[in-house]
Amino acid sequence: MRKIYKLIFRNRVPVMLVILVSFITLHSFAQSARISGIVKDEKGGTLPGVTVLLKGTSTAVSTDQGGKFIISAPLNGTLLFRFVGFTNKEVAINGRNNLTISLQPESSNLSEVVVTGVFDKRKAINASIAISSLSAVQISKQAPVSAADLLKSIPGVYVNSSLGEIRNTVYSRGVSVGSNDGASGYYYVSMQEDGLPVTNATFNNYGPDYFYRPDATLDKLEAVRGGTASILGNNAPGGIFNYISKQGGEKFEGEARVKLGLEGNGSNPYYRGDLDFGGPLSKDGSLTYNIGGFYRYSTGAKDPGYALNKGGQVKGNVVKKYRTGSIKIYGKYLNDHNGWFEFTPTVSFTNPKPAAGFSPTSSVLVPGVSQVFPLNDNGFDTFNTKSLVHSTDRAIGANWTQRIDTSLTFNNAVRYSSKEGKWNATGVVYPLALNDFVTASILGYIGRPGTTHLTNARTGAPLATIFSQSGYDYTVTSNNLPGTAIAPTSVFFEPLLFTDNKVKELIDQFSFSKRLKDMSFTLGGFYGYSNVNQSTGAAAIGVGTIQNHPDLVNVTLTDPTGKVYQMTNANGLGGIGGSGLTISQATQNQLAFFFGHNWQINRRLNLDYGIRYESMNIKGSVRPNQANPKSSDPTYGGADGNPLTVYDNAGGTAGAPLPFNKTVRTFSYSAGLNYKIDEKTSVYGRFSEGNKAPDLSTYFAANTAFANSMLNPQAQKVDQAEMGFKFRDKNLTLFVTPFYSVLSHVPNVQTFTLADGLTSYSPPVLYEKIRTIGVELEANVYLSPNWSVRGTGTLQSSKAVDYKVWIANNNGPADDAIMDYSGNKTDNSANLILNITPTYDIGKFYSFITWSYLGARQANAANAFELPGFSQFNFGSGYHVTKALQLSFNINNILNKYGVMSWSRPGTFLTALDRQGYTKAQYEADVKNNTPYSTIAIPPRAYFLTLAYKF
């Protein structure tokens, strides 16, 4: 006994350690258990193939076809759930032996059900269309400035959002003619909100992004390129981009976000708040609601001295589900003010950068000013630059789904809206040379002999004097103007552009879907009615100093007798009322019927095809502005009766109506075949022929008797062939889509002047044809439990197969000639577009960086030069402080790259507007002389901090 005692206690330390380790080990084994559970998506659907990993070990299992799993793990352990397309999730076991796990989607997932661009709901891997989707989780990690920014990670889609929150340009697969630089930015594609077009009426400087803002109510974005957009898109063969709103669930929940930022390379404040909440209105959960919205205030990336974006929206819906269907009633009120950025003086075509005195954050917009002006002979309005483009939208709608029997379903979506887009904006800010008759005409001293004096309207400092002997010759006799290196003896043209667009719309789309054993049939229709009223013209004319934050310029003229004429008022504005407003009115009636057939030939092979007949009638008139004929009379006193105050001598009236009543009818079709190789892999092929009827811009542009008589709207054609390879595994989703796209019958209508110098004529219409060949790539790769990479890319070649223009030469048709650009590369179409985002995600923390690359693009149809390609890097990081509270930080354009998206040629006002007339010879001369030109680039570096609270 004594020996045993000595053996134990003499070596008590090692022995006690052995006992302690044994106890811990035995305790751990005692606490290990058989843990079972099920993994579901955010909507309650089960997820097969989810990796379930015991954290800190290599022990892992996968969920079965029903989303269930069994794993052996300590009851105090932690499980990591990982599945491609969804956010990683860590769950502490905490003594439980049965778990129900819900994963939130993160990015495009081929196993997810899609509703856009298909005749019936189906998984993306089974759909013979090129579709991508972004979830609310993925969207919340970004810091988009506009709705278009969310489309930058969609393959095959070109996005130019450099102007700001509105007037963006979006197109797909090279189908781009007529949709450049904001005026008609969504010409071939449809921006939809919950399955219906945001607006069915489009025309110059009026489009869907004036009336849609993504906020916390956005649940999902689905993007279809080409294909079935010919059938299910409304006059939009290029693609459908459907922004789908959240609906209430079985329990009350919501989210509040506060977003603070510094735009303009950290110098301009940004403030935003979002709120979204919803839940059941009945005990059984059959009646739910969701409501939310946002308010935002910012001075933009280029602070003009006042808020460039201010306003917000509120929207909501109520959903009633019953045994045989559901009905959703929704409404939205948007009230927002937005400006956009004008062109910045630039040097170097190969390495563009702002000219001396300017920077990426410089603003050339007119300073804050308020001016009363006449609305022809119908009273007055007040132009206020701080009001910007004031967009309002009051909309109410309903979606109704009714199962008539077990195989027949009726769907109807309807919306009524009253929209207004009221412009108080500055545009076409280009230099005006003081010794040019165009400048003299704009400022009102044409035909007036004497000395014109220019002074700074803010400081009173003298800027320049111009002497004219006859009123038609101009000599600059003194010059203290800034910006002489950009344009000598010049000022910025700063017109105050007023437009009031009022549109009332009713949109309705219905369908009957019949399901049989192996096939389904869909028969549907679309009706869109738009009542459009537009008033447009110049409220006043101003000129500004060529510098960052231009000052307006006061102009006076002293005639040979010593009389002093005030060409501008105290605000530095002249030509009050411009030349009068052009008044346009139209009703657009669009009626379409479509049919679709889906046939599951066998368990692997699926065929679908569809046809669409569409009729668009546009009836209305244009009343072109008629300038006040007395405005150039030196004895005319204008509004105040004083001949010496010339600034109020302008204005005008609307002329006689020029009526139009045209109908364009089209027939489109699309057919696709999808072959499912196995549960992970499928391939498809599709051919589509779509049509694009001219929008209201064509009709409103017919504002002369001659143009009105020549009005002959015809549809453009879009033919597309595509193939797709789709693969989905636990660690990879891959979508590869080669495509072939032809845009044809694109009219090029030109107007020239006869030998009398007054009468207009148009040479025969030439029709253009553009061909694009390319491949779209989309992939999500999970490299480890913590590392993932999402990448999208577009490799394409776009060619002007048939592209001819008339050259006028001298007045009259005698020496008109055709310039043939056929065979040239299409302008503004990059050969390579890439977006690659590696993400590190561990526990409560995530971080990512996105590399975006836009390749070189031809600047115009003449291929005079290339806009250089560039890279942009964005960074994002977030931390879940608690289960409900998350803090995220984003930096857009980390390296502050000046990436050019748009350009204008060297020269003064009228010359700068003619980009297509710029030749390679002129380019080479301008390069040699280092001549400045103008560009718009991607927004400079911006920082955003977001605090989100979920409840």
Side-chain angles (χ1 to χ4, degrees):
M1 187 65 146
R2 186 177 294 176
K3 290 181 180 179
I4 295 174
Y5 175 85
K6 288 181 179 180
L7 180 63
I8 293 176
F9 287 99
R10 245 178 231 175
N11 302 287
R12 59 184 180 273
V13 174
V15 171
M16 293 302 290
L17 285 174
V18 170
I19 293 172
L20 181 61
V21 170
S22 299
F23 176 81
I24 293 172
T25 303
L26 288 171
H27 179 78
S28 297
F29 277 110
Q31 295 298 312
S32 291
R34 181 173 175 269
I35 310 299
S36 62
I38 187 169
V39 182
K40 300 180 179 181
D41 61 21
E42 83 286 4
K43 295 181 179 178
T46 57
L47 292 175
V50 177
T51 298
V52 185
L53 176 71
L54 176 59
K55 188 175 181 181
T57 75
S58 59
T59 301
V61 298
S62 296
T63 59
D64 62 18
Q65 289 299 312
K68 297 179 180 179
F69 69 91
I70 298 174
I71 189 171
S72 180
L75 291 175
N76 62 349
T78 299
L79 298 180
L80 174 64
F81 295 84
R82 176 169 56 87
F83 190 54
V84 64
F86 289 79
T87 303
N88 290 356
K89 189 170 186 176
E90 286 189 9
V91 177
I93 299 174
N94 290 335
R96 297 170 293 172
N97 55 20
N98 189 271
L99 302 172
T100 298
I101 306 301
S102 177
L103 297 184
Q104 294 295 318
E106 184 174 42
S107 60
S108 175
N109 186 2
L110 292 175
S111 66
E112 116 181 87
V113 174
V114 295
V115 298
T116 305
V118 292
F119 294 111
D120 53 6
K121 295 179 182 180
R122 61 182 54 209
K123 290 184 178 180
I125 198 169
N126 296 329
S128 55
I129 57 174
I131 186 169
S132 301
S133 60
L134 300 176
S135 71
V137 173
Q138 186 177 13
I139 292 169
S140 68
K141 291 182 178 180
Q142 303 181 37
V145 173
S146 67
D149 281 343
L150 296 175
L151 301 172
K152 290 182 177 179
S153 62
I154 304 298
V157 177
Y158 170 85
V159 175
N160 181 356
S161 58
S162 58
L163 291 178
E165 291 201 26
I166 59 172
R167 304 186 77 234
N168 297 165
T169 298
V170 176
Y171 58 80
S172 66
R173 296 179 173 176
V175 182
S176 64
V177 177
S179 61
N180 291 327
D181 292 334
S184 305
Y186 286 79
Y187 192 77
Y188 294 99
V189 299
S190 176
M191 173 190 274
Q192 297 189 351
E193 186 173 11
D194 296 320
L196 289 177
V198 174
T199 176
N200 205 44
T202 59
F203 45 96
N204 274 352
N205 295 312
Y206 180 95
D209 65 350
Y210 287 76
F211 305 104
Y212 182 79
R213 306 287 184 273
D215 60 17
T217 65
L218 178 60
D219 184 51
K220 185 181 182 182
L221 168 61
E222 293 184 348
V224 175
R225 291 93 66 194
T228 53
S230 299
I231 310 303
L232 297 172
N234 305 301
N235 200 31
I240 303 172
F241 307 117
N242 189 14
Y243 296 76
I244 302 172
S245 303
K246 293 176 181 176
Q247 297 179 184
E250 296 179 353
K251 62 178 181 178
F252 174 77
E253 56 186 355
E255 180 180 10
R257 299 179 196 163
V258 175
K259 184 176 182 180
L260 305 176
L262 289 172
E263 298 180 287
N265 198 21
S267 58
N268 304 331
Y270 177 102
Y271 310 99
R272 176 170 175 142
D274 285 64
L275 180 65
D276 176 72
F277 60 91
L281 288 172
S282 62
K283 291 183 178 180
D284 62 359
S286 64
L287 184 64
T288 62
Y289 76 97
N290 194 86
I291 189 169
F294 80 96
Y295 181 82
R296 169 261 298 109
Y297 180 97
S298 76
T299 54
K302 302 180 179 184
D303 181 5
Y306 42 87
L308 202 65
N309 299 286
K310 56 180 179 180
Q313 71 179 4
V314 59
K315 56 189 295 189
N317 59 71
V318 176
V319 179
K320 172 62 179 178
K321 296 180 180 179
Y322 52 94
R323 186 176 59 84
T324 59
S326 66
I327 184 167
K328 177 174 76 171
I329 299 174
Y330 62 88
K332 180 177 83 171
Y333 174 65
L334 178 142
N335 190 331
D336 207 8
H337 299 255
N338 310 99
W340 70 87
F341 310 123
E342 277 293 314
F343 289 81
T344 299
T346 304
V347 293
S348 178
F349 288 87
T350 55
N351 183 27
K353 57 185 177 181
F358 292 86
S359 75
T361 62
S362 293
S363 172
V364 299
L365 298 182
V366 69
V369 65
S370 180
Q371 178 63 55
V372 176
F373 69 100
L375 296 171
N376 291 345
D377 50 4
N378 294 315
F380 296 86
D381 203 339
T382 300
F383 185 104
N384 190 333
T385 54
K386 296 181 180 181
S387 187
L388 309 165
V389 178
H390 184 193
S391 302
T392 58
D393 187 8
R394 299 168 177 86
I396 185 169
N399 290 359
W400 180 31
T401 298
Q402 177 64 52
R403 293 190 301 276
I404 299 173
D405 58 33
T406 56
S407 63
L408 183 62
T409 302
F410 172 73
N411 289 283
N412 191 81
V414 61
R415 181 172 65 230
Y416 172 81
S417 65
S418 177
K419 296 178 168 65
E420 183 174 10
K422 192 170 185 179
W423 280 43
N424 286 247
T426 305
V428 292
V429 181
Y430 298 113
L432 288 173
L434 297 182
N435 57 358
D436 189 277
F437 79 94
V438 174
T439 308
S441 177
I442 289 172
L443 293 180
Y445 57 81
I446 190 170
R448 293 174 180 263
T451 301
T452 301
H453 300 268
L454 276 64
T455 58
N456 188 303
R458 179 176 60 87
T459 66
L463 296 174
T465 55
I466 309 150
F467 176 74
S468 176
Q469 182 71 35
S470 65
Y472 298 97
D473 62 304
Y474 313 105
T475 302
V476 178
T477 55
S478 69
N479 178 22
N480 295 310
L481 288 163
T484 54
I486 296 165
T489 62
S490 298
V491 290
F492 271 147
F493 186 35
E494 297 276 7
L496 304 190
L497 304 179
F498 172 83
T499 296
D500 192 5
N501 296 313
K502 295 179 180 178
V503 179
K504 297 185 184 298
E505 288 190 309
L506 176 67
I507 303 174
D508 186 275
Q509 180 163 296
F510 70 90
S511 66
F512 291 92
S513 297
K514 177 70 175 179
R515 286 182 175 275
L516 302 178
K517 181 180 179 181
D518 297 318
M519 61 182 64
S520 66
F521 299 89
T522 300
L523 177 66
F526 174 88
Y527 175 70
Y529 170 82
S530 304
N531 188 305
V532 180
N533 289 275
Q534 182 190 70
S535 303
T536 184
I541 301 297
V543 295
T545 52
I546 298 179
Q547 62 185 42
N548 179 27
H549 296 119
D551 285 323
L552 286 171
V553 174
N554 272 331
V555 181
T556 60
L557 183 143
T558 304
D559 74 3
T561 67
K563 290 182 180 179
V564 178
Y565 293 86
Q566 303 292 327
M567 313 308 291
T568 59
N569 62 11
N571 285 330
L573 299 173
I576 309 301
S579 298
L581 302 178
T582 293
I583 309 297
S584 302
Q585 183 278 329
T587 56
Q588 175 179 296
N589 281 282
Q590 185 176 349
L591 180 65
F593 295 99
F594 55 86
F595 171 78
H597 179 207
N598 185 76
W599 180 19
Q600 191 70 45
I601 299 173
N602 56 44
R603 68 185 185 89
R604 296 184 184 277
L605 189 62
N606 186 89
L607 169 69
D608 73 86
Y609 64 89
I611 57 175
R612 182 184 184 93
Y613 170 80
E614 194 156 17
S615 172
M616 181 181 288
N617 172 262
I618 296 180
K619 180 181 180 180
S621 65
V622 177
R623 298 179 61 198
N625 64 296
Q626 303 289 320
N628 182 355
K630 298 179 181 179
S631 60
S632 58
D633 182 353
T635 64
Y636 177 58
D640 62 2
N642 183 357
L644 299 180
T645 56
V646 181
Y647 54 78
D648 63 358
N649 291 7
T653 60
L658 299 172
F660 47 79
N661 185 356
K662 303 289 184 179
T663 300
V664 177
R665 298 178 178 89
T666 59
F667 178 80
S668 304
Y669 62 89
S670 180
L673 195 64
N674 191 86
Y675 183 74
K676 191 173 181 180
I677 299 172
D678 54 37
E679 292 301 317
K680 298 180 179 179
T681 313
S682 70
V683 294
Y684 81 89
R686 177 172 291 279
F687 180 81
S688 307
E689 182 177 282
N691 293 272
K692 170 63 183 179
D695 68 8
L696 284 162
S697 300
T698 300
Y699 301 83
F700 289 171
N703 56 8
T704 67
F706 176 78
N708 182 264
S709 68
M710 297 294 292
L711 185 62
N712 182 30
Q714 298 183 40
Q716 301 175 29
K717 288 190 176 297
V718 179
D719 294 315
Q720 296 197 51
E722 60 190 90
M723 298 180 65
F725 171 80
K726 309 175 191 179
F727 176 79
R728 175 178 61 87
D729 200 355
K730 290 190 297 184
N731 298 317
L732 171 68
T733 61
L734 179 65
F735 198 167
V736 183
T737 313
F739 67 88
Y740 176 86
S741 175
V742 177
L743 172 63
S744 59
H745 207 65
V746 181
N748 183 7
V749 180
Q750 297 173 267
T751 301
F752 299 142
T753 305
L754 288 174
D756 63 9
L758 299 173
T759 309
S760 297
Y761 76 97
S762 288
V765 176
L766 300 174
Y767 290 91
E768 301 164 357
K769 185 176 182 179
I770 306 296
R771 184 221 65 202
T772 305
I773 301 174
V775 59
E776 302 164 350
L777 302 168
E778 182 174 7
N780 293 275
V781 185
Y782 275 79
L783 304 174
S784 73
N786 304 114
W787 281 100
S788 64
V789 179
R790 170 176 166 80
T792 63
T794 306
L795 182 64
Q796 62 187 2
S797 174
S798 191
K799 180 180 178 181
V801 177
D802 192 358
Y803 200 109
K804 300 180 179 71
V805 298
W806 286 99
I807 303 299
N809 294 312
N810 297 313
N811 285 351
D815 59 352
D816 289 354
I818 291 178
M819 178 70 72
D820 192 349
Y821 292 135
S822 301
N824 281 6
K825 294 180 179 180
T826 306
D827 58 325
N828 210 31
S829 182
N831 285 344
L832 182 62
I833 305 174
L834 292 174
N835 279 276
I836 299 175
T837 304
T839 300
Y840 181 72
D841 195 328
I842 182 169
K844 299 179 179 181
F845 174 81
Y846 73 85
S847 186
F848 69 86
I849 189 166
T850 297
W851 170 49
S852 301
Y853 177 76
L854 180 64
R857 295 137 288 146
Q858 291 296 331
N860 61 4
N863 289 187
F865 71 100
E866 284 187 335
L867 299 174
F870 62 90
S871 293
Q872 177 181 344
F873 293 89
N874 295 338
F875 169 80
S877 185
Y879 181 75
H880 290 271
V881 181
T882 67
K883 185 178 180 179
L885 190 64
Q886 177 179 319
L887 189 66
S888 59
F889 178 66
N890 295 80
I891 307 177
N892 291 347
N893 196 2
I894 300 172
L895 302 181
N896 206 29
K897 178 66 178 179
Y898 193 81
V900 171
M901 297 298 296
S902 303
W903 72 288
S904 289
R905 63 182 286 183
T908 53
F909 171 48
L910 293 179
T911 302
L913 293 175
D914 184 19
R915 277 174 293 188
Q916 294 298 348
Y918 192 56
T919 66
K920 185 177 285 290
Q922 290 170 325
Y923 162 72
E924 290 171 350
D926 287 330
V927 169
K928 182 178 180 180
N929 297 323
N930 197 28
T931 307
Y933 63 116
S934 300
T935 61
I936 291 180
I938 60 174
R941 186 188 295 119
Y943 307 85
F944 298 98
L945 182 68
T946 305
L947 184 67
Y949 179 75
K950 293 186 177 182
F951 50 88

